[in-house]
Amino acid sequence: MSGNYFCEGVEMASQRSLFNALGFTKEEMNRPLVGIVSSYNEIVPGHMNIDKIVEAVKLGVAMGGGTPVVFPAIAVCDGIAMGHKGMKYSLVTRDLIADSTECMALAHHFDALVMVPNCDKNVPGLLMAAARINVPTVFVSGGPMLAGHVKGQKTSLSSMFEAVGAYTAGKISAEEVEEYENKTCPTCGSCSGMYTANSMNCLTEVLGMGLRGNGTIPAVYSERLKLAKEAGMQVMELYRKNIRPLDIMTEKAFYNALTADMALGCSTNSMLHLPAIANECGIKIDLDMANEISAKTPNLCHLAPAGHTYMEDLNEAGGVYAVLNELAKKDLINTECLTCTGKTVGENIKGCINKDTNTIRPIDDPYSETGGIAVLKGNLAPDRCVVKRSAVAPEMLVHKGPARVFDSEEEAIKVIYEGGINPGDVVVIRYEGPAGGPGMREMLSPTSAIQGAGLGSTVALITDGRFSGATRGAAIGHVSPEAVNGGTIAYVKEGDIISIDIPNYSINLEVSDEELEERRKTMPIKHKEGITGYLKRYAQQVSSADKGAIINRR
């Protein structure tokens, strides 16, 4: 095995002197230099165990013949950031993570990388970086949290937010809320439902960038440490075979990821992240592809918040590979795609049977014949919007009602908590898009308040912002164009009738073209005051949500 870039030649003597300052031996300098991107911190529950994962990866790299070197990546806890200004700083970190990791990896000429992410923007940010850097790379996440238990029922973070909504609606006591507070999140790890973090860690497996179990082995299981060692050893195999991210993350691999997304019922945030990752690979994902794939892909899983199974249950049922094996029975997956195992998808999933048909429905007995996510289009969203169809009550798949219009999340949540929303209403929250927010905040607090108030089967919510994977109900996000860019959502008035038809992929404001044109002339676009620093730069450069909220680099 050849050594690293710095190991030979007088011209590299100055650099080697700095490695000597780090305490490197000649043996270490004569081995490939493997960067381990550690997302460890002490504020995100999904990241507090990553220091142990990283130590296991280091052992694996060393056993495989490499020299491991750790450097950091940031991560925001979306749950802690939820419902206040902090949520403006969540999505924007995806690009900070990608940029800073690119800088560190290329500045120090690493020969290979192991990425150790876990939570929402951390995973796609590092996948974007992997595509840019394009050296042999393996992902191993920190793993999901175990479900909580309240009153004999399993719970997850969405249960907690909905309990707050139920309390404000007078349906449960403060003591009951406290019980949820103390029991909902019982371990470290990414929150226990099919939320954004777990969605993206599962899709990392599907893309071929993570080993089996990356998305499902619970954070507290020792099996997670074994997986980390295997990832460290496997990256050395990829180095020897010169298998790189762009060999793995192909157009067919993204097609597989969209297909698995529909079967698993992943977070709508995947409709932001997959296009952004694909963009870094030189591949264009059009949101219309999602409907094409959804139309022929059955929804096999109803994990929380859509149902009452959790990531630990998916793991016991056979994990992501078992889901892929079900899909392969009807040739819905391209089994020839190369993966970080050095083998194809078909070779990986051979013999991976479904061990629990309550958690993973058989391909011939799905929850629905169509996928978990739907992309809607109409005069309210000419450039499309997104809904997690698998988490919508059947009676809300088609809905028509009067608009209740709010220009911020705070305005909406105040009225919801005061009991000012009525059955049949369509709550519209605008000026929360990528540029208008800025930062495209998640709306878990208002959607949970609606659910907690018992309005989940009668009230829809529409926004140019986005939703947590923990959201359930008729929650339609990513409305494009967004309000600040002159999208129709900017011109909705209180009481306007909005019609939603999810099975037919449509969403319309029942106002004439002439009336809309008049409103465009008379209703001014609103811009947030006092936006400074990184958020200001982000707002100036970010694309619309239908393009993945990517940074336009001129």
Side-chain angles (χ1 to χ4, degrees):
M1 187 187 301
S2 60
N4 69 59
Y5 178 76
F6 304 105
C7 71
E8 293 181 356
V10 174
E11 67 275 11
M12 288 294 163
S14 299
Q15 285 85 347
R16 289 196 297 275
S17 72
L18 294 169
F19 281 99
N20 282 325
L22 291 167
F24 274 52
T25 65
K26 285 187 176 180
E27 289 79 5
E28 286 174 299
M29 278 191 273
N30 286 333
R31 294 178 174 185
L33 199 62
V34 180
I36 302 172
V37 186
S38 170
S39 304
Y40 169 76
N41 64 47
E42 294 183 339
I43 188 62
V44 184
H47 290 237
M48 62 181 285
N49 64 318
I50 279 179
D51 56 339
K52 295 176 177 60
I53 303 293
V54 166
E55 288 302 313
V57 172
K58 287 174 68 177
L59 281 172
V61 168
M63 287 189 289
T67 296
V69 182
V70 178
F71 65 91
I74 64 169
V76 164
C77 176
D78 278 24
I80 294 174
M82 196 71 66
H84 56 91
K85 182 181 177 181
M87 181 46 72
K88 293 178 183 288
Y89 288 90
S90 171
L91 179 60
V92 304
T93 64
R94 187 183 70 184
D95 291 276
L96 281 174
I97 291 162
D99 291 350
S100 59
T101 303
E102 173 193 358
C103 291
M104 285 293 290
L106 294 180
H108 299 104
H109 214 292
F110 287 105
D111 298 295
L113 294 166
V114 179
M115 306 288 199
V116 191
N118 209 25
C119 288
D120 297 31
K121 313 310 163 301
N122 191 236
V123 183
L126 290 180
L127 283 165
M128 290 162 68
R132 292 182 199 172
I133 301 160
N134 201 34
V135 298
T137 302
V138 175
F139 276 65
V140 56
S141 76
M145 184 183 292
L146 293 178
H149 292 82
V150 177
K151 295 179 170 60
Q153 300 293 320
K154 285 185 177 181
T155 60
S156 59
L157 186 63
S158 53
S159 314
M160 181 69 250
F161 274 86
E162 289 179 19
V164 173
Y167 171 75
T168 61
K171 293 181 178 293
I172 64 174
S173 67
E175 289 75 20
E176 288 174 295
V177 173
E178 186 176 10
E179 184 177 7
Y180 275 95
E181 181 181 334
N182 291 329
K183 295 181 178 178
T184 293
C185 299
T187 72
C188 61
S190 48
C191 297
S192 56
M194 187 55 81
Y195 308 154
T196 305
N198 293 327
S199 295
M200 293 311 302
N201 282 322
C202 286
L203 294 180
T204 299
E205 278 191 62
V206 182
L207 281 171
M209 293 297 292
L211 300 177
R212 182 182 183 183
N214 177 68
T216 60
I217 297 170
V220 295
Y221 283 14
S222 297
E223 190 180 353
R224 175 67 52 182
L225 298 176
K226 292 166 66 176
L227 182 71
K229 292 173 188 175
E230 289 165 2
M233 290 186 281
Q234 185 57 31
V235 81
M236 298 312 301
E237 285 298 310
L238 296 185
Y239 172 78
R240 283 185 276 270
K241 295 175 180 177
N242 195 29
I243 297 174
R244 299 168 181 253
L246 295 185
D247 300 321
I248 294 170
M249 290 193 286
T250 62
E251 187 172 1
K252 291 177 180 177
F254 279 99
Y255 196 96
N256 281 351
L258 283 167
T259 302
D261 189 327
M262 299 302 166
L264 287 163
C266 290
S267 163
T268 52
N269 280 315
S270 64
M271 294 295 104
L272 287 174
H273 299 323
L274 287 176
I277 300 161
N279 179 68
E280 298 290 350
C281 298
I283 297 164
K284 183 180 179 181
I285 289 182
D286 189 306
L287 283 186
D288 288 335
M289 289 171 59
N291 282 345
E292 293 169 15
I293 292 170
S294 179
K296 60 183 179 182
T297 305
N299 177 227
L300 305 181
C301 299
H302 267 192
L303 284 85
H308 300 289
T309 52
Y310 296 80
M311 295 307 297
E312 62 200 65
D313 301 311
L314 180 59
N315 187 62
E316 294 303 317
V320 173
Y321 279 20
V323 174
L324 294 181
N325 204 22
E326 288 290 338
L327 294 170
K329 291 175 183 177
K330 290 198 173 180
D331 297 323
L332 295 172
I333 289 289
N334 188 307
T335 57
E336 297 304 314
C337 291
L338 182 65
T339 73
C340 69
T341 65
K343 300 176 183 178
T344 65
V345 169
E347 291 173 309
N348 286 344
I349 66 176
K350 187 177 181 180
C352 296
I353 62 169
N354 180 359
K355 300 175 183 177
D356 181 0
T357 56
N358 291 319
T359 299
I360 306 171
R361 287 282 187 91
I363 195 74
D364 293 320
D365 183 28
Y367 281 103
S368 66
E369 294 294 339
T370 52
I373 289 176
V375 176
L376 313 184
K377 189 174 183 179
N379 72 344
L380 187 54
D383 292 340
R384 299 174 290 267
C385 56
V386 178
V387 62
K388 189 171 182 175
R389 171 169 46 190
S390 60
V392 177
E395 57 269 37
M396 288 298 292
L397 291 170
V398 178
H399 181 74
K400 181 183 290 190
R404 305 295 306 280
V405 184
F406 305 96
D407 289 339
S408 70
E409 179 186 6
E410 287 83 358
E411 290 179 22
I413 196 73
K414 182 176 184 293
V415 172
I416 297 169
Y417 280 159
E418 289 173 350
I421 300 301
N422 304 308
D425 285 349
V426 179
V427 176
V428 176
I429 304 177
R430 61 192 179 191
Y431 294 105
E432 291 286 6
M440 202 179 183
R441 286 194 288 183
E442 289 184 343
M443 303 290 161
L444 180 56
S445 293
T447 57
S448 297
I450 288 168
Q451 292 290 336
L455 296 170
S457 60
T458 59
V459 170
L461 191 152
I462 297 171
T463 181
D464 54 5
R466 61 194 178 94
F467 296 109
S468 165
T471 287
R472 63 188 177 104
I476 300 166
H478 309 196
V479 170
S480 300
E482 60 176 292
V484 79
N485 290 334
T488 306
I489 193 171
Y491 306 108
V492 180
K493 289 186 175 181
E494 189 85 4
D496 284 347
I497 299 300
I498 294 174
S499 60
I500 301 161
D501 189 341
I502 295 172
N504 289 304
Y505 308 109
S506 73
I507 182 167
N508 286 289
L509 177 67
E510 296 194 355
V511 169
S512 69
D513 292 344
E514 293 76 16
E515 172 64 17
L516 269 179
E517 189 58 36
E518 182 61 28
R519 291 183 187 184
R520 288 189 176 96
K521 294 175 184 177
T522 59
M523 292 176 65
I525 296 295
K526 299 180 180 180
H527 295 272
K528 301 281 174 67
E529 300 292 331
I531 304 300
T532 59
Y534 182 63
L535 282 183
K536 183 176 181 179
R537 297 201 307 276
Y538 183 86
Q540 291 169 341
Q541 297 180 339
V542 69
S543 78
S544 61
D546 65 293
K547 294 179 174 62
I550 60 174
I551 295 297
N552 295 312
R553 304 181 190 281
R554 298 180 178 87

